[in-house]
Amino acid sequence: MTSSNRTERMLEEAFKIRGRDKKGRKILRIVGKFFPAKELMSAGQGGGEEVLRSFLERRVFSELAGAPFVVVYMHALVQRSENFPGVTALRSVYEALPAAVRDGLRAVYFVHPGLQARLFFATFGRFLFSAGLYGKLRYVSRLEFLWEHMRRGEVEVPEFVEDHDEELEHRPLMDYGLVESDHHHRALDDPAMDTAASMYSLRCIS
């Protein structure tokens, strides 16, 4: 399998449109641990962003355009060196969203955010992303709260996400960064972000 085919398969695992929430809106599920940031970055400056945009245009945007939808982003066990592409890349992709897709986005459910992820977005989210997108961000500390908005069978949850959820239930101080997980991986909790604002934020919250 070629590198480009492998990256395509990884993106297919990371992004899946399946099911509907309790209001009948499509669900775009994104699993952070499956996101091939390392492979995309190896494509060189700008190359990875183009590969990602091309995939989204072909496999995601075409299915979402013109219809309301929500995003469920699962952050458990994300590693910054493997899965986090950097804020500049994320913003670039957001700015490339077709108007029909951007207008259809109703909510982004951020499942299992770390403390520093919350602090970062609270401090710099409004500067890095549009007010419209930032206002749609919903933190979900436990899967049980996600089920208030959608039925269990409508969203495929990887086993490691369920295991992480159970670990948080028994070790709640992990939510505040006071206790480390037995599977201690961090992305936004130890970010490799590539903007001046990102570096400043790390000094503020370290």
Side-chain angles (χ1 to χ4, degrees), residues 10-177:
M10 295 173 75
L11 287 170
E12 289 174 355
E13 287 297 312
F15 295 85
K16 288 189 177 181
I17 301 173
R18 184 177 300 169
R20 295 179 181 272
D21 69 2
K22 291 183 177 180
K23 294 184 178 180
R25 302 173 297 198
K26 289 184 177 181
I27 300 170
L28 169 59
R29 187 210 65 176
I30 304 174
V31 180
K33 189 180 188 309
F34 295 158
F35 187 78
K38 185 176 181 180
E39 286 74 13
L40 291 172
M41 287 187 287
S42 69
Q45 186 174 7
E49 293 178 24
E50 182 57 36
V51 170
L52 178 57
R53 278 197 295 266
S54 174
F55 171 82
L56 293 174
E57 289 171 359
R58 289 183 288 105
R59 306 298 297 273
V60 178
F61 296 163
S62 60
E63 292 191 41
L64 296 176
F69 71 98
V70 299
V71 171
V72 175
Y73 169 69
M74 299 179 178
H75 189 60
L77 304 190
V78 167
Q79 301 180 62
R80 67 164 186 161
S81 61
E82 299 288 336
N83 314 118
F84 190 69
V87 168
T88 297
L90 293 178
R91 184 174 183 178
S92 174
V93 170
Y94 173 69
E95 291 176 344
L97 286 176
V101 175
R102 192 179 304 187
D103 292 344
L105 178 61
R106 295 293 184 265
V108 178
Y109 298 103
F110 193 132
V111 182
H112 298 141
L115 174 63
Q116 292 188 2
R118 291 174 181 262
L119 290 173
F120 177 83
F121 282 112
T123 305
F124 294 100
R126 292 180 177 84
F127 298 102
L128 296 173
F129 303 105
S130 72
L133 175 62
Y134 182 78
K136 295 172 182 176
L137 183 62
R138 306 284 184 269
Y139 294 118
V140 181
S141 60
R142 299 289 186 276
L143 288 173
E144 65 177 293
F145 302 126
L146 184 65
W147 308 140
E148 296 176 2
H149 305 281
M150 54 202 69
R151 297 177 181 83
R152 290 174 181 265
E154 295 292 312
V155 182
E156 180 183 352
V157 180
E159 184 176 356
F160 69 85
V161 175
E162 293 182 333
D163 291 344
H164 184 70
D165 192 76
E166 184 176 349
E167 186 177 17
L168 287 171
E169 193 66 29
H170 290 91
R171 306 174 71 181
L173 290 180
M174 284 171 54
D175 282 324
Y176 305 99

Side-chain angles (χ1 to χ4, degrees), residues 4-15:
S4 60
N5 288 340
R6 184 170 60 252
T7 300
E8 180 91 4
R9 291 289 299 274
M10 295 173 75
L11 287 170
E12 289 174 355
E13 287 297 312
F15 295 85

